[in-house]
Amino acid sequence: MIYFDNNATTPLDATVLDKMMPYLREQYGNPASRSHAMGWVADEAVIIAREQIASAINAEPKEIIFTSGATESVNLAIKGVFEAYNSKGQHVITVKTEHKAVLDTCDWVSRRGGEVTLLDVDKEGRVDIEALEEAIRPDTILVSIMWANNETGCIQDMAAIGQICRSAGVLLFSDATQALTKTPIDVQSSRIDILAFSGHKVYGPKGIGGLYVRSKSPRVRLMPLIDGGGHERGMRSGTLNVPGIVGLGAAVELGVSLIHKESSRLEALRDRLEFRLLHEIEDCVLNTTAHRMPHVINIRFLHVDGEALMLTFNQKLAVASGSACTSASIEPSHVLMASSLTEDEAHSSIRISLGRYTSENEIEEAFHIIQQGVQKLRSESPIWKMYKSGQLT
Ligand SMILES: *Cc1c(COP(=O)(O)O)cnc(C)c1O
């Protein structure tokens, strides 16, 4: 199977697994054990991982908190700020195209008596900086804006957003799960106060993630979600997942070292696939073109259902569709709907996310699989025939 669904999850890099292995086998010490070498060795490994991650985003090692993944990090950031800054205000600003981890946690804020403003985005998926500025009120305690979107690859102007939040004295949290190791991140120059990330989106292991929490100017306070032994500066108790942490640190260090090489390689592969799709398949349109990550294509094919198209791939090609299955039905993607697409357009979209192991051959093969699928569905479609004969616009 050709795996073009790297925004859903990435494979574990073999060199990262090698670095984890000793901590899954013989080095099983608890880093909190201060009285023997088994503990010290584990603690040393955690210190190194913290340094690797901190240096990747221009932070201090003590500002990195380990969690079970980005969903937990997002929950800790938003709920933690809401609980700790309650007396200052209860207003949170976020964006309609955020990941469900953020939107659902913001629903929790509303249920707890807080107020949430959901900003719109333009056709390219970007937040309007002036609209953000206008939305900030005296009781605003947090702005939550993702760095890069998982569905469209759209990258926000975090430097401009950071400037506005800092001058307004409002904390800025960014879900950077899709951005870390894909695009350069500097929490100082972008004035980020809290930043979430995850191991399995960066060729690291699943079940590990982290949160950058600024320690000075300003010092961010977070109410913990999990109480216990006071690990991670009291913000996240529980024995540390040492193999996961070692893997996360190694994956982030490796990913950042490859950023420039991989961005240009993936951009060339993406452009090649995109060129063929756009030039050799009729009525196909890119959903985002500007400000996007180099490995993501979100594209739609007129009068073709994305879910049906994926079925034609017969397990030879893995991509994601512009629809999301909920318990009751298939809903159009909230991200595409917020980016001014119609329901039909969202349902006719697919997301292609290339990755570290994508080859030129796979690009060619995937193009043919997609082309054949679109042709097959259109040849069977009465609507397409009506459209082609001019009976539809
Ligand atoms: C995958 C993802 C998450 C959730 O991460 P987990 O580590 O799987 O909990 C959150 N936000 C974005 C943007 C993601 O892509």
Side-chain angles (χ1 to χ4, degrees), residues 26 98 164 253 292 315:
E26 60 273 16
E98 292 290 306
I164 283 173
E253 185 181 66
R292 59 185 171 141
Q315 304 306 316

Side-chain angles (χ1 to χ4, degrees), residues 69-71 99 146 150 175 177-178 198 200-201:
T71 301
H99 191 272
M146 74 200 310
N150 46 303
D175 174 359
T177 309
Q178 295 288 349
S198 177
H200 75 100
K201 302 284 174 83

Side-chain angles (χ1 to χ4, degrees), residues 45 50 59 61 74 115 117 157 160 175 217 235 320 322-323 328 350 363:
R50 233 186 269 284
V74 165
E115 214 185 314
T117 298
D157 185 354
D175 174 359
S217 13
M235 290 187 222
S323 315
I350 60 170
I363 293 288

Side-chain angles (χ1 to χ4, degrees), residues 169-280:
V170 174
L171 293 178
L172 173 59
F173 162 56
S174 185
D175 174 359
T177 309
Q178 295 288 349
L180 183 64
T181 77
K182 315 278 165 62
T183 188
I185 293 184
D186 182 326
V187 294
Q188 305 310 340
S189 67
S190 296
R191 298 176 170 84
I192 305 292
D193 298 306
I194 316 172
L195 186 101
F197 47 91
S198 177
H200 75 100
K201 302 284 174 83
V202 298
Y203 306 89
K206 293 176 175 61
I208 187 75
L211 198 63
Y212 155 76
V213 185
R214 182 176 286 283
S215 67
K216 60 173 192 293
S217 13
R219 178 184 181 84
V220 176
R221 289 175 290 122
L222 292 182
M223 193 74 91
L225 299 174
I226 299 174
D227 295 291
H231 307 75
E232 302 298 272
R233 292 162 55 211
M235 290 187 222
R236 208 284 191 177
S237 288
T239 299
L240 296 181
N241 169 0
V242 179
I245 290 168
V246 167
L248 177 58
V252 168
E253 185 181 66
L254 176 65
V256 168
S257 77
L258 295 174
I259 244 177
H260 296 291
K261 194 171 136 249
E262 275 296 273
S263 302
S264 40
R265 189 185 73 89
L266 289 167
E267 191 169 342
L269 290 174
R270 179 202 61 194
D271 287 351
R272 186 179 176 141
L273 178 55
E274 208 166 83
F275 186 87
R276 295 205 70 179
L277 292 170
L278 292 171
H279 287 84
E280 297 179 48

